[in-house]
Amino acid sequence: MKGKVALEEHVSTEENNKRWDLRFEAARHGKQYMANVERRLFDAETRLEEMDRFGIDTAILSLTTPGAQSILDSNQAVDFAKRTNDLITKNFVEPHQGRFYAFATVALQNPRAAGDELERAVKHLGMKGALVNGYTNLGKTDSAQYLDAEPVWEFWDRVAKLDVPVYLHPRDSLPPQPQIYDGYPCLVGSPWSFGLETATHAARLMLSGLFDKYPTLTVILGHLGEGLPQLLPRLEWRLHMQREGMNPPKANRKVSEYFSQNFYATTSGHFHTKSMLNCIGEMGVDRVMFSVDYPYEEIRSAATWFDAAPISENDRTRIGRDNARRLLRLP
Ligand code: MN
C-alpha cells in the first residue's frame, strides 16, 4: 500500500543519548543491533529511503528512551523537553516538511509546565500531540508518578483543550524488577515486561475517572494495544463480579467503553494478523493505525506484513493512512 502514515517512529538527540545507559542496552539487545539502532536514530536519509521503498509517506517522530520522564530534577526536565522539541523540529521536521511531523516531549515532573510546553509545541512548532515514556520519576529513581495521578490532571486539562492525542509508550518497570523475572532477563523490556507495564498503566487511566471528566481525551497505545484487547474483557467481568468487594473503580463506565472511545492502537512492533483482527474487533477498525517502531523494528518487516495482511482494501486504507490523517489532522 502506498501513502502509509506511521506514528511510533523514534529519533534521538546527543543530549538524550548522553543520558542513556547504552552499555545496558547493548547487553540487552546485542552489540550489533544497538549500534544499528543508535546510528539510525540520527539518520534522516536512510529512514526516508526505507519509507519510500515500502510506501510510507509520513512519519510522526518522537524522542526515544530515556526521554524526559527519568530526569530527577524537575527544572532540568522542563528545559530538556523544550530543547528536545526545538531540536527535533530543526533537525528532522523542517528539512523534510510533509514527510516528518512530531509528538512533543513533555516533563510531567511539572504538569503545568508540561501543558505549557505541549501548547507551544502544538501551536508554534506544529507538533501533533505528546508521547510519554510511561511513569515519571519524581526526585528519586525508585519513585513513579503514573499519568492517572491527581497532579497530572492539570496536564490532561490542557490536553483536552488543545484536542490532541497522547501516545503512551512503554518503559521498564521500576527497579528492582519483580522477582518473577529472576533468571530470565530476556523477559525484561520489549519482549514481555514493557507490555505488562503499559497495559497496567492504561488500565489505571481507565479506572481513574479521567475519561469521565474529559470524555474527548485520546490516548494512543502501541504494540496492538499492549495485550489489552485480550485482557480487558476479563478485567471488566471480574470487576463486575466483585463489585461489592474492596476498592471499586472510580470510573463511571465499563473499561471496554473507554477502550473503544478514548483509545487508539498502532501496529508498532507487533506484526501479527490475528492480533490485529482481535484489536479491530475490540476497538473498531477506525481506531487501529499502522506503525513500525523504527529503528527498533525494520520498516520492511512492518510494511511487507501489513501490505499483504488478509483484510479488505477498505480497512487497509483506513488503518494504513486515513485514521491517522483524521486523528492528527494531517494535510
Ligand atoms: Mn517504541
Side-chain angles (χ1 to χ4, degrees):
M1 177 190 158
K2 290 205 168 84
K4 289 190 286 295
V5 179
L7 292 90
E8 197 193 304
E9 316 311 325
H10 304 300
V11 295
S12 196
T13 63
E14 299 291 347
E15 185 181 12
N16 190 54
N17 270 37
K18 272 186 204 143
R19 296 190 48 253
W20 198 4
D21 188 349
L22 285 161
R23 244 190 289 175
F24 169 72
E25 297 291 353
R28 171 194 280 198
H29 294 287
K31 262 189 196 159
Q32 205 175 340
Y33 174 93
M34 264 323 284
N36 206 15
V37 163
E38 254 189 274
R39 182 174 49 74
R40 294 193 298 179
L41 282 166
F42 292 89
D43 182 357
E45 302 308 325
T46 308
R47 185 183 299 248
L48 284 165
E49 277 167 32
E50 292 279 297
M51 286 166 60
D52 288 341
R53 186 144 31 122
F54 294 103
I56 300 175
D57 269 7
T58 307
I60 319 299
L61 307 177
S62 49
L63 184 70
T64 194
T65 189
Q69 271 66 56
S70 62
I71 299 175
L72 299 181
D73 181 276
S74 173
N75 292 333
Q76 281 178 21
V78 170
D79 291 343
F80 172 88
K82 281 185 196 154
R83 279 196 299 277
T84 299
N85 293 330
D86 286 338
L87 275 173
I88 289 178
T89 302
K90 178 169 154 268
N91 294 346
F92 293 94
V93 177
E94 279 180 354
H96 304 283
Q97 281 190 15
R99 301 302 305 276
F100 293 145
Y101 295 89
F103 286 126
T105 294
V106 289
L108 289 159
Q109 291 84 344
N110 180 338
R112 179 168 302 175
D116 289 343
E117 179 57 13
L118 179 62
E119 182 164 337
R120 184 185 80 92
V122 170
K123 291 190 174 165
H124 298 287
L125 304 177
M127 290 192 173
K128 295 298 174 187
L131 182 138
V132 177
N133 286 308
Y135 61 87
T136 300
N137 297 114
L138 297 181
K140 292 189 296 186
T141 50
D142 62 353
S143 67
Q145 172 187 255
Y146 286 90
L147 288 169
D148 58 293
E150 197 264 324
V152 183
W153 287 38
E154 184 176 0
F155 170 73
W156 287 116
D157 189 76
R158 303 287 292 280
V159 174
K161 287 185 178 123
L162 289 165
D163 194 21
V164 291
V166 171
Y167 203 120
L168 175 53
H169 187 272
R171 179 177 179 186
D172 276 320
S173 305
L174 267 186
Q177 297 291 349
Q179 195 176 352
I180 195 168
Y181 299 130
D182 282 358
Y184 297 88
C186 65
L187 289 175
V188 176
S190 53
W192 188 260
S193 71
F194 272 9
L196 298 185
E197 170 77 21
T198 312
T200 309
H201 197 163
R204 292 176 65 108
L205 287 175
M206 289 181 223
L207 297 175
S208 70
L210 179 71
F211 301 116
D212 299 324
K213 180 153 189 207
Y214 301 108
T216 61
L217 282 184
T218 297
V219 175
I220 307 172
L221 297 172
H223 317 103
L224 285 171
E226 310 288 4
L228 288 171
Q230 185 75 24
L231 296 171
L232 276 184
R234 177 160 163 80
L235 172 65
E236 183 165 310
W237 176 246
R238 290 309 307 172
L239 289 178
H240 171 72
M241 292 300 285
Q242 62 187 41
R243 63 192 176 279
E244 291 179 346
M246 65 196 302
N247 205 8
K250 296 170 206 143
N252 294 334
R253 296 157 71 205
K254 296 175 181 171
V255 288
S256 59
E257 294 178 55
Y258 301 121
F259 195 52
S260 58
Q261 290 168 34
N262 296 98
F263 284 79
Y264 281 69
T266 75
T267 66
S268 65
H270 197 148
F271 314 134
H272 187 69
T273 302
K274 283 179 190 165
S275 301
M276 179 169 68
L277 294 175
N278 193 27
C279 200
I280 293 170
E282 292 296 324
M283 308 182 88
V285 70
D286 291 328
R287 289 181 171 270
V288 182
M289 300 183 286
F290 173 77
S291 287
V292 179
D293 205 355
Y294 185 89
Y296 300 93
E297 300 287 346
E298 301 285 346
I299 290 176
R300 173 196 299 272
S301 317
T304 51
W305 161 73
F306 178 74
D307 290 354
I311 53 175
S312 71
E313 290 312 309
N314 199 356
D315 284 355
R316 200 180 324 276
T317 308
R318 292 195 224 184
I319 296 169
R321 182 188 69 204
D322 292 350
N323 294 342
R325 281 172 72 167
R326 183 187 68 247
L327 177 64
L328 305 176
R329 300 188 190 91
L330 299 177

